[in-house]
mmCIF file of all heavy atoms in Angstrom:
data_model
loop_
_atom_site.group_PDB
_atom_site.id
_atom_site.type_symbol
_atom_site.label_atom_id
_atom_site.label_comp_id
_atom_site.label_asym_id
_atom_site.label_seq_id
_atom_site.Cartn_x
_atom_site.Cartn_y
_atom_site.Cartn_z
ATOM 1 N N GLN K 168 8.530 -3.856 11.534
ATOM 2 C CA GLN K 168 8.095 -4.174 10.168
ATOM 3 C C GLN K 168 8.799 -3.148 9.253
ATOM 4 O O GLN K 168 8.414 -1.975 9.251
ATOM 5 C CB GLN K 168 6.559 -4.050 10.119
ATOM 6 C CG GLN K 168 5.975 -4.375 8.716
ATOM 7 C CD GLN K 168 4.449 -4.233 8.728
ATOM 8 O OE1 GLN K 168 3.834 -3.779 9.715
ATOM 9 N NE2 GLN K 168 3.828 -4.582 7.599
ATOM 10 N N VAL K 169 9.761 -3.664 8.546
ATOM 11 C CA VAL K 169 10.592 -2.745 7.741
ATOM 12 C C VAL K 169 10.133 -2.791 6.273
ATOM 13 O O VAL K 169 10.269 -3.867 5.618
ATOM 14 C CB VAL K 169 12.107 -3.095 7.831
ATOM 15 C CG1 VAL K 169 12.929 -2.094 7.071
ATOM 16 C CG2 VAL K 169 12.535 -3.140 9.315
ATOM 17 N N LYS K 170 9.603 -1.730 5.793
ATOM 18 C CA LYS K 170 9.127 -1.689 4.403
ATOM 19 C C LYS K 170 10.308 -1.586 3.465
ATOM 20 O O LYS K 170 11.118 -0.623 3.532
ATOM 21 C CB LYS K 170 8.215 -0.508 4.193
ATOM 22 C CG LYS K 170 6.865 -0.634 4.937
ATOM 23 C CD LYS K 170 5.966 -1.648 4.213
ATOM 24 C CE LYS K 170 4.637 -1.748 4.891
ATOM 25 N NZ LYS K 170 3.696 -2.700 4.201
ATOM 26 N N VAL K 171 10.483 -2.595 2.604
ATOM 27 C CA VAL K 171 11.657 -2.617 1.688
ATOM 28 C C VAL K 171 11.149 -2.714 0.248
ATOM 29 O O VAL K 171 10.032 -3.132 -0.047
ATOM 30 C CB VAL K 171 12.557 -3.849 2.012
ATOM 31 C CG1 VAL K 171 13.175 -3.726 3.404
ATOM 32 C CG2 VAL K 171 11.865 -5.152 1.893
ATOM 33 N N LYS K 172 12.067 -2.359 -0.657
ATOM 34 C CA LYS K 172 11.773 -2.451 -2.116
ATOM 35 C C LYS K 172 11.559 -3.910 -2.477
ATOM 36 O O LYS K 172 12.177 -4.807 -1.890
ATOM 37 C CB LYS K 172 12.950 -1.906 -2.917
ATOM 38 C CG LYS K 172 13.151 -0.418 -2.808
ATOM 39 C CD LYS K 172 14.337 -0.011 -3.683
ATOM 40 C CE LYS K 172 15.134 1.104 -2.993
ATOM 41 N NZ LYS K 172 16.488 1.223 -3.515
ATOM 42 N N ALA K 173 10.759 -4.132 -3.509
ATOM 43 C CA ALA K 173 10.501 -5.501 -3.940
ATOM 44 C C ALA K 173 11.541 -5.967 -5.009
ATOM 45 O O ALA K 173 11.320 -7.020 -5.605
ATOM 46 C CB ALA K 173 9.085 -5.640 -4.478
ATOM 47 N N ASP K 174 12.564 -5.197 -5.244
ATOM 48 C CA ASP K 174 13.561 -5.594 -6.276
ATOM 49 C C ASP K 174 14.231 -6.882 -5.808
ATOM 50 O O ASP K 174 14.716 -6.976 -4.670
ATOM 51 C CB ASP K 174 14.627 -4.547 -6.439
ATOM 52 C CG ASP K 174 14.048 -3.156 -6.684
ATOM 53 O OD1 ASP K 174 12.922 -3.103 -7.095
ATOM 54 O OD2 ASP K 174 14.760 -2.151 -6.486
ATOM 55 N N PRO K 175 14.401 -7.864 -6.768
ATOM 56 C CA PRO K 175 15.130 -9.071 -6.334
ATOM 57 C C PRO K 175 16.614 -8.741 -6.220
ATOM 58 O O PRO K 175 17.157 -7.916 -6.963
ATOM 59 C CB PRO K 175 14.862 -10.040 -7.487
ATOM 60 C CG PRO K 175 14.304 -9.226 -8.664
ATOM 61 C CD PRO K 175 13.877 -7.900 -8.079
ATOM 62 N N ALA K 176 17.265 -9.364 -5.258
ATOM 63 C CA ALA K 176 18.705 -9.161 -5.086
ATOM 64 C C ALA K 176 19.447 -10.468 -5.468
ATOM 65 O O ALA K 176 18.829 -11.534 -5.513
ATOM 66 C CB ALA K 176 18.967 -8.897 -3.617
ATOM 67 N N PRO K 177 20.706 -10.386 -5.859
ATOM 68 C CA PRO K 177 21.426 -11.600 -6.227
ATOM 69 C C PRO K 177 21.410 -12.642 -5.214
ATOM 70 O O PRO K 177 21.484 -12.360 -3.993
ATOM 71 C CB PRO K 177 22.874 -11.113 -6.504
ATOM 72 C CG PRO K 177 22.789 -9.605 -6.508
ATOM 73 C CD PRO K 177 21.549 -9.209 -5.856
ATOM 74 N N LEU K 178 21.382 -13.923 -5.606
ATOM 75 C CA LEU K 178 21.349 -15.031 -4.645
ATOM 76 C C LEU K 178 22.727 -15.112 -3.976
ATOM 77 O O LEU K 178 23.767 -15.189 -4.655
ATOM 78 C CB LEU K 178 21.091 -16.361 -5.353
ATOM 79 C CG LEU K 178 19.655 -16.642 -5.849
ATOM 80 C CD1 LEU K 178 19.609 -18.000 -6.470
ATOM 81 C CD2 LEU K 178 18.677 -16.519 -4.744
ATOM 82 N N VAL K 179 22.744 -15.164 -2.672
ATOM 83 C CA VAL K 179 23.914 -15.438 -1.914
ATOM 84 C C VAL K 179 23.561 -16.504 -0.898
ATOM 85 O O VAL K 179 22.937 -16.186 0.133
ATOM 86 C CB VAL K 179 24.515 -14.165 -1.163
ATOM 87 C CG1 VAL K 179 25.828 -14.528 -0.512
ATOM 88 C CG2 VAL K 179 24.664 -13.039 -2.145
ATOM 89 N N LEU K 180 23.834 -17.761 -1.210
ATOM 90 C CA LEU K 180 23.286 -18.835 -0.443
ATOM 91 C C LEU K 180 24.181 -19.263 0.727
ATOM 92 O O LEU K 180 25.356 -19.362 0.568
ATOM 93 C CB LEU K 180 23.035 -20.040 -1.351
ATOM 94 C CG LEU K 180 22.187 -19.785 -2.628
ATOM 95 C CD1 LEU K 180 22.032 -21.083 -3.406
ATOM 96 C CD2 LEU K 180 20.865 -19.231 -2.209
ATOM 97 N N PRO K 181 23.532 -19.536 1.866
ATOM 98 C CA PRO K 181 24.315 -20.154 3.001
ATOM 99 C C PRO K 181 24.538 -21.617 2.749
ATOM 100 O O PRO K 181 23.998 -22.205 1.819
ATOM 101 C CB PRO K 181 23.316 -19.950 4.214
ATOM 102 C CG PRO K 181 21.978 -19.964 3.577
ATOM 103 C CD PRO K 181 22.117 -19.344 2.207
ATOM 104 N N PRO K 182 25.362 -22.240 3.590
ATOM 105 C CA PRO K 182 25.524 -23.719 3.452
ATOM 106 C C PRO K 182 24.159 -24.388 3.507
ATOM 107 O O PRO K 182 23.234 -23.848 4.188
ATOM 108 C CB PRO K 182 26.345 -24.093 4.710
ATOM 109 C CG PRO K 182 27.049 -22.839 5.091
ATOM 110 C CD PRO K 182 26.131 -21.716 4.695
ATOM 111 N N ARG K 183 24.029 -25.454 2.773
ATOM 112 C CA ARG K 183 22.685 -26.012 2.568
ATOM 113 C C ARG K 183 22.390 -27.195 3.535
ATOM 114 O O ARG K 183 21.215 -27.616 3.704
ATOM 115 C CB ARG K 183 22.561 -26.448 1.135
ATOM 116 C CG ARG K 183 21.125 -26.789 0.839
ATOM 117 C CD ARG K 183 20.835 -26.795 -0.631
ATOM 118 N NE ARG K 183 19.350 -26.884 -0.688
ATOM 119 C CZ ARG K 183 18.623 -26.416 -1.679
ATOM 120 N NH1 ARG K 183 19.223 -25.810 -2.668
ATOM 121 N NH2 ARG K 183 17.363 -26.507 -1.650
ATOM 122 N N ASP K 184 23.422 -27.771 4.114
ATOM 123 C CA ASP K 184 23.243 -29.012 4.926
ATOM 124 C C ASP K 184 22.738 -28.625 6.293
ATOM 125 O O ASP K 184 23.442 -27.946 7.100
ATOM 126 C CB ASP K 184 24.627 -29.722 4.966
ATOM 127 C CG ASP K 184 24.505 -30.992 5.736
ATOM 128 O OD1 ASP K 184 23.751 -31.067 6.691
ATOM 129 O OD2 ASP K 184 25.256 -31.954 5.396
ATOM 130 N N GLY K 185 21.502 -29.036 6.570
ATOM 131 C CA GLY K 185 20.858 -28.675 7.861
ATOM 132 C C GLY K 185 21.619 -29.152 9.078
ATOM 133 O O GLY K 185 21.726 -28.457 10.066
ATOM 134 N N ALA K 186 22.132 -30.380 9.002
ATOM 135 C CA ALA K 186 22.892 -30.925 10.105
ATOM 136 C C ALA K 186 24.136 -30.128 10.357
ATOM 137 O O ALA K 186 24.513 -29.772 11.503
ATOM 138 C CB ALA K 186 23.235 -32.399 9.873
#
Side-chain angles (χ1 to χ4, degrees):
Q168 179 178 8
V169 183
K170 292 286 184 179
V171 295
K172 291 181 216 160
D174 307 341
L178 288 182
V179 185
L180 304 182
R183 191 162 192 151
D184 183 325

